[in-house]
Amino acid sequence: MSNQVGSQHDAAAALAAAPPIVFAVLLPTGPASGGNLVTIVGSGFTGATAVKFGANPATSFTVVSDNVITAVAPPGSGTVQVTVTTANGTSNGFPYLYIGVPGPVIVTAVPPTGPATGGNLVTIVGSGFTGATAVNFGTTPATSFTVISDNLIVATAPPGTGTVPITVVTPAGTSTSFSYLYV
């Protein structure tokens, strides 16, 4: 009987010394900017000292139970492995996909024509304009521009000739273009 008790004790000690295991990450996708709350499901999470998304530590995390951790995803890109580290080691990884922020899109520009001398105000309508760093008429920057909202920019056309593409540049990338005709 003492052998049976001893073997049960040994099995419990071996289980307690096992590294954590991640079974799932709920909401396995999120924005490249990070900041979203994810739930990590698995076992052996008690005493967790780190939660990582690839090489980056979670912005913060809470051990809810031995089987559940909530964590705030840090900024990142591509597909990374989410891992949990305890005194017993680091878990297996579970894939997490960062989704890029869609770039700006121009739907229309009003008016779509203007004098070759430039100087006229052009209202650009679309989406994703927040944080715009440039508005270009072809390769020439607008004389000035104001971001009214995520969907609206007013720009002063520079001098130019022919038909040129209007584009908006933001941290998320360069927009689709809209044709502008100098007359």
Side-chain angles (χ1 to χ4, degrees), residues 38-175:
V38 300
T39 301
I40 304 164
V41 179
S43 66
F45 295 161
T46 300
T49 56
V51 172
K52 288 190 172 182
F53 289 70
N56 299 320
T59 303
S60 65
F61 69 92
T62 302
V63 178
V64 176
S65 70
D66 193 56
N67 303 100
V68 176
I69 291 177
T70 57
V72 176
S77 63
T79 300
V80 298
Q81 298 296 311
V82 175
T83 58
V84 174
T85 301
T86 68
N88 295 325
T90 300
S91 71
N92 59 300
F94 193 90
Y96 180 85
L97 174 64
Y98 283 102
I99 300 170
V101 177
V105 174
I106 295 177
V107 176
T108 191
V110 179
T113 62
T117 56
N120 63 313
L121 289 179
V122 178
T123 301
I124 303 165
V125 180
S127 63
F129 296 157
T130 300
T133 56
V135 174
N136 296 314
F137 287 71
T139 58
T140 307
T143 305
S144 66
F145 70 92
T146 303
V147 178
I148 306 298
S149 70
D150 193 57
N151 306 101
L152 191 66
I153 291 178
V154 175
T156 303
T161 58
T163 300
V164 298
I166 298 174
T167 56
V168 174
V169 179
T170 72
T174 300
S175 71

Side-chain angles (χ1 to χ4, degrees), residues 26-41:
L26 303 178
L27 291 192
T29 62
S33 59
N36 60 311
L37 185 67
V38 300
T39 301
I40 304 164
V41 179

